[in-house]
């Protein structure tokens, strides 16, 4: 089998995604042996996955801020309201697995599901307000890192 990119060369490995042959030069271009087309498609998927949480965080923050502003009219209180809403949003990922316990509590102890639900929301808010900024910083760092890698792949002619 010959190289997909360089048909005059013998392939030494196949693309990790599509199985096309790659010569030694092409195999060394990317961390995982892949043809330029597959590498670009993979990078697009990674960038979409990195963009989504940042976009959702921005939407939740803006909605929280303007909701707080419409309720009170004070910018400082609106920022605190936004922080609380973001805390629920960020913390919900940690609390979501506990939903089964809430459903079980509703069935086993009639009427306690609402109280457990409120406790989960409070737990989500507390966790999110503490952990959320670190997650946001991590997401921004990963986005910038992957965007640079994606741009370098595009500039090398891949």
């Amino acid at each position: 089998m010959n190289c997909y990119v360089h048909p005059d060369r013998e392939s030494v490995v196949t693309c990790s995604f599509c199985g096309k042959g790659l010569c030694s030069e092409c195999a060394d271009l990317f961390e995982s042996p892949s043809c330029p087309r597959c590498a670009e498609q993979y990078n697009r998927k990674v960038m979409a996955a990195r963009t989504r949480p940042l976009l959702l965080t921005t939407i939740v923050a803006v909605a929280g801020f303007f909701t707080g502003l419409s309720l009170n009219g004070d910018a400082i209180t609106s920022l605190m309201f936004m922080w609380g809403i973001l805390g629920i949003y960020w913390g919900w990922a940690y609390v979501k697995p506990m939903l089964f316990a809430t459903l079980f509590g509703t069935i086993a102890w009639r009427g306690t599901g609402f109280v457990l639900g409120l406790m989960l929301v409070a737990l989500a808010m507390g966790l999110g307000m503490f952990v959320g900024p670190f997650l946001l910083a991590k997401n921004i760092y990963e986005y910038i890192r992957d965007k640079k890698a994606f741009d370098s792949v595009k500039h090398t002619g891949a």
Side-chain angles (χ1 to χ4, degrees):
M1 179 186 332
N2 288 346
C3 177
Y4 167 70
V5 180
H6 305 104
D8 59 328
R9 299 181 190 170
E10 188 69 27
S11 66
V12 295
V13 70
T14 59
C15 173
S16 302
F17 301 102
C18 68
K20 294 177 183 170
L22 300 171
C23 65
S24 59
E25 181 184 336
C26 292
D28 292 337
L29 284 177
F30 307 109
E31 193 171 310
S32 174
S34 54
C35 64
R37 182 174 175 229
C38 290
E40 187 172 348
Q41 287 176 343
Y42 175 76
N43 284 339
R44 287 188 193 282
K45 288 178 186 176
V46 168
M47 289 310 300
R50 297 281 186 237
T51 303
R52 188 173 185 267
L54 296 175
L55 183 63
L56 289 174
T57 297
T58 302
I59 291 169
V60 170
V62 168
F65 180 78
F66 283 114
T67 302
L69 200 59
S70 69
L71 293 175
N72 189 353
D74 179 22
I76 300 297
T77 306
S78 297
L79 287 172
M80 291 181 356
F81 188 81
M82 177 187 75
W83 188 255
I85 296 296
L86 281 171
I88 293 171
Y89 169 71
W90 287 329
W92 195 249
Y94 294 108
V95 176
K96 213 182 326 180
M98 296 180 212
L99 286 177
F100 178 75
T102 302
L103 293 175
F104 178 72
T106 302
I107 295 168
W109 303 292
R110 300 170 199 252
T112 60
F114 179 74
V115 173
L116 287 174
L118 286 177
M119 289 170 50
L120 284 175
V121 169
L123 180 62
M125 181 183 263
L127 279 173
M129 290 174 79
F130 177 72
V131 176
F134 299 107
L135 291 175
L136 180 61
K138 176 184 164 274
N139 285 339
I140 290 170
Y141 166 76
E142 289 173 346
Y143 177 84
I144 292 169
R145 179 196 65 199
D146 291 343
K147 179 72 172 152
K148 284 181 184 176
F150 179 62
D151 288 343
S152 71
V153 168
K154 286 184 1 185
H155 288 21
T156 59

